[in-house]
Amino acid sequence: MSDVADAAGVSLKTVSRVVNGEAGVRPETAAAVNDAIALLGFRRNYIARALRPGQRSHMLGLVIEDVSNPFYSAIFRGVEEIARSAGYLVITASSDEDPEREQALVHLFCERRVEGLLVVPAGDDHRYVLPDVRAGTSIVFVDRPPRLIEADAVLLDNVGGARSAVRHLLAVGHRRIAMIGDEERIFTAGERLRGYREEMAAAGRDVDPALVQLGTHDADAAEAATRELMALPEPPTAVFTANNRITLGAIRVLWQNGYRAALVGFDDLELAESLAMPATVVAYDAAELGREAARLLLLRLAGDAGPPRRVVLPTWLIERGSGEVQP
């Protein structure tokens, strides 16, 4: 500020008033100060500014599982859209489904003085955020609720979406319907498994344990799980895949090897209509997950002190062909 004052030929106090947008500075004086700032290449240090009592960083932290997954990229885009319109910068990082990394990232963001956090949780105990919440950091959980604490969460209708997928396959005439999902401890995977079981039970169909493959985390594992299912003495005539990566792995096996089996996947896919058999999916607006979470966080930052909210967004079925293959 001293360098700017010298360059502009004004006092240090005048520079301070211009930088902080205070009234009472003549336009030509403000212009001289701003020209000096531009000439010297100075930028406001928001992190340093946030260290001062009563000041804000205008930054939000977003912890997701994997930024390379289109689902999480869409969430980030939705968060960024709302945050940018309110003058906030979003910084993001991937937890890689590692609870310890999730916790480390949350603490790191808080050390950087973010005003609020949006977290796709990987861990099973979120009491570690309570000191930061008590210190004034607002937090909203996305896609999965927190564990062992009450906090805001924006979720999908995972059970309802899974039920609609299985209901559709039953309506086509399938009875041996397999499911390939991730680890049951993951909230979304567990809820989609629950939906699968509930819809099968509602139709009076027993679930053959051999038809349920869990712990499938990526497309390669999904390929192996699908091969195992199709090698059974009584293979399934239809498969419900519980996320986009699993769907891709299952598709590789089913249609590259000529198996005649129906498939409905949870999560839409890029170019899903261009596949050899266009994929029928349970779809939703992933960006809206991010937008709704960001809106809720901004409400909290604006002073909303109401009880924790749980927002559940709808899903819908898109029929493209793979789910309509008859047994």
Side-chain angles (χ1 to χ4, degrees):
M1 288 177 66
S2 296
D3 292 341
V4 171
D6 290 342
V10 300
S11 69
L12 195 64
K13 178 62 176 176
T14 298
V15 175
S16 176
R17 292 168 67 186
V18 171
V19 168
N20 290 295
E22 298 177 11
V25 181
R26 290 182 301 175
E28 58 270 24
T29 301
V33 170
N34 286 321
D35 287 346
I37 290 171
L39 179 66
L40 294 169
F42 289 148
R43 297 290 183 272
R44 184 188 295 274
N45 187 331
Y46 282 97
I47 294 178
R49 190 169 187 261
L51 297 176
R52 296 169 56 193
Q55 298 298 324
R56 302 164 58 190
S57 68
H58 291 277
M59 292 193 301
L60 305 178
L62 171 63
V63 178
I64 55 180
E65 180 202 338
D66 181 0
V67 72
S68 70
N69 188 323
F71 169 68
Y72 294 108
S73 299
I75 288 177
F76 171 69
R77 188 63 178 171
V79 169
E80 186 181 46
E81 177 184 326
I82 299 301
R84 184 172 59 239
S85 68
Y88 283 86
L89 175 70
V90 181
I91 52 177
T92 189
S94 301
S95 70
D96 297 323
E97 204 65 69
D98 181 343
E100 291 185 2
R101 179 167 172 76
E102 172 206 316
Q103 186 170 339
L105 288 170
V106 167
H107 290 325
L108 187 62
F109 282 159
C110 289
E111 289 172 3
R112 297 298 190 274
R113 297 297 195 272
V114 297
E115 291 184 40
L117 285 164
L118 301 117
V119 178
V120 177
D124 296 323
D125 185 348
H126 290 93
R127 289 175 293 183
Y128 73 85
V129 304
L130 293 178
D132 294 308
V133 171
R134 286 192 289 266
T137 304
S138 298
I139 184 166
V140 175
F141 291 86
V142 189
D143 189 44
R144 309 167 187 171
R147 303 291 180 91
L148 303 182
I149 67 168
E150 293 294 322
D152 293 324
V154 180
L155 315 172
L156 291 173
D157 182 9
N158 292 287
V159 173
R163 292 193 66 160
S164 69
V166 177
R167 188 181 310 122
H168 182 72
L169 292 168
L170 289 166
V172 173
H174 295 279
R175 297 297 177 263
R176 285 186 62 76
I177 302 173
M179 176 180 171
I180 308 175
D182 209 328
E183 297 178 24
E184 190 174 356
R185 69 168 184 83
I186 298 172
F187 174 79
T188 47
E191 291 291 276
R192 293 169 194 180
L193 176 62
R194 179 159 73 91
Y196 163 79
R197 286 173 170 161
E198 285 184 1
E199 194 60 34
M200 292 291 281
R205 308 297 304 180
D206 293 329
V207 174
D208 183 348
L211 296 184
V212 179
Q213 291 275 347
L214 301 179
T216 307
H217 190 58
D218 55 29
D220 290 340
E223 285 190 42
T226 306
R227 289 193 187 94
E228 186 173 330
L229 287 169
M230 302 314 293
L232 290 171
E234 260 190 284
T237 63
V239 180
F240 167 52
T241 50
N243 66 42
N244 53 3
R245 288 178 168 173
I246 295 173
T247 299
L248 287 172
I251 284 173
R252 291 175 194 165
V253 173
L254 292 178
W255 288 299
Q256 288 180 8
N257 293 277
Y259 292 114
R260 182 176 175 79
L263 180 144
V264 177
F266 206 113
D267 301 336
D268 204 356
L269 303 165
E270 291 184 0
L271 305 177
E273 296 178 348
S274 302
L275 298 172
M277 175 66 79
T280 296
V281 297
V282 176
Y284 49 84
D285 188 344
E288 184 61 19
L289 265 177
R291 287 190 289 264
E292 190 63 29
R295 291 187 192 107
L296 182 49
L297 183 58
L298 291 176
L299 281 176
R300 297 305 192 190
L301 292 174
D304 186 334
R309 302 179 190 175
R310 179 171 290 202
V311 179
V312 179
L313 301 184
T315 63
W316 55 88
L317 192 77
I318 301 177
E319 299 180 22
R320 294 196 180 105
S322 70
E324 292 68 58
V325 174
Q326 298 188 354

